[in-house]
């Protein structure tokens, strides 16, 4: 087991949650000056730079759904896959707690700690479909731009854009998570565990389907 790879996965996932949830909180603090586009770009930029930074060390998964897809496609063995997912989840949880040191508690509470939620009026089935399809797109892009050895060496850029694209479309439906660690970290820190199964199962299904295709 490569310890450096696990550290890379921890740091990369930490960055996504710290920047992504931080952007949601700062949007509230600035009377929505960032808006949905700004929040989506914050998530996408965090993933883009960290995939680029960690790709040579760990492959830059930074997402249990990506690691699951790699497992399905036999690009990683089961032991390392589980270790990656644990490191990613710990990175997300650590980031959510560090955010408590950076952002006023009342703001985080108002933002529900940035936990993705199913929007009122949206059915669970609709949220499930959204998370599954968006994660499919994301993992499909990961395979096409990073995992495939023929891919151009610009995977981080397009993976980040895929995340931003997904947040823009999915935020108003399911929160646009596409990443179980993105849900878990803020949930553990205080945001609640409503529909936890959805934010694990749907991304794994989407990631697995993308890997098979």
């Amino acid at each position: 087991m490569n310890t450096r790879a696990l550290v890379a996965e921890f740091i990369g996932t930490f960055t996504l949650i710290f920047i992504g949830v931080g952007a949601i909180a700062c949007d509230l603090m600035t009377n929505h000056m960032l808006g949905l586009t700004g929040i989506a770009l914050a998530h996408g930029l965090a993933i883009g730079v960290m995939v680029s930074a960690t790709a040579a060390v760990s492959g830059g998964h930074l997402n249990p759904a990506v690691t699951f897809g790699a497992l399905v496609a036999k690009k990683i063995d089961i032991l390392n896959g589980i270790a990656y997912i644990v490191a990613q989840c710990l990175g997300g949880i650590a980031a959510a707690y560090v955010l408590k040191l950076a952002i006023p508690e009342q703001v985080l509470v108002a933002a529900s700690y940035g936990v993705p939620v199913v929007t009122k009026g949206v059915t669970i089935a609709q949220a499930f479909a959204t998370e599954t399809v968006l994660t499919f797109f994301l993992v499909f892009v990961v395979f096409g731009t990073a995992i495939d050895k023929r891919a151009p060496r610009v995977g981080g850029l397009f993976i980040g854009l895929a995340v931003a694209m997904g947040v823009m479309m999915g935020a108003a439906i399911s929160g646009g998570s596409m990443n179980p660690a993105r849900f878990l970290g803020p949930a553990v820190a205080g945001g609640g565990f409503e529909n936890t199964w959805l934010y694990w199962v749907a991304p794994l299904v989407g990631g697995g389907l993308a890997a098979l295709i």
Side-chain angles (χ1 to χ4, degrees):
M1 191 176 299
N2 188 337
T3 303
R4 288 185 297 175
L6 300 182
V7 171
E9 289 295 308
F10 178 95
I11 292 172
T13 313
F14 181 104
T15 304
L16 170 65
I17 280 69
F18 189 86
I19 297 300
V21 175
I24 293 170
C26 288
D27 184 55
L28 287 178
M29 295 172 72
T30 58
N31 196 27
H32 303 293
M33 287 182 64
L34 276 178
L36 174 58
T37 301
I39 292 169
L41 286 175
H43 283 79
L45 289 169
I47 282 292
V49 298
M50 281 298 156
V51 166
S52 297
T54 60
V57 181
S58 68
H61 292 192
L62 317 185
N63 182 340
V66 173
T67 301
F68 181 71
L71 278 167
V72 170
K74 298 182 180 179
K75 300 295 184 180
I76 190 173
D77 63 77
I78 185 69
L79 183 61
N80 279 301
I82 292 171
Y84 268 43
I85 290 171
V86 171
Q88 293 154 4
C89 290
L90 290 177
I93 292 168
Y97 277 103
V98 173
L99 276 168
K100 289 187 172 186
L101 303 177
I103 295 173
E105 180 74 13
Q106 64 270 24
V107 176
L108 288 173
V109 170
S112 299
Y113 288 84
V115 178
V117 296
V118 178
T119 301
K120 185 177 180 179
V122 174
T123 68
I124 293 296
Q126 289 167 335
F128 188 92
T130 299
E131 287 293 319
T132 300
V133 172
L134 293 180
T135 310
F136 174 91
F137 291 153
L138 171 59
V139 178
F140 190 81
V141 170
V142 170
F143 269 85
T145 64
I147 292 178
D148 193 320
K149 295 185 184 302
R150 300 165 297 177
R153 298 296 92 188
V154 289
L157 170 63
F158 292 105
I159 294 166
L161 290 175
V163 169
M165 172 183 80
V167 174
M168 287 179 189
M169 185 274 170
I173 300 171
S174 60
S177 174
M178 301 168 281
N179 185 335
R182 170 64 184 80
F183 170 86
L184 182 65
V188 170
F193 291 93
E194 186 177 2
N195 295 317
T196 298
W197 71 271
L198 186 154
Y199 292 102
W200 275 91
V201 176
L204 295 182
V205 170
L209 288 173
L212 289 173
I213 291 176

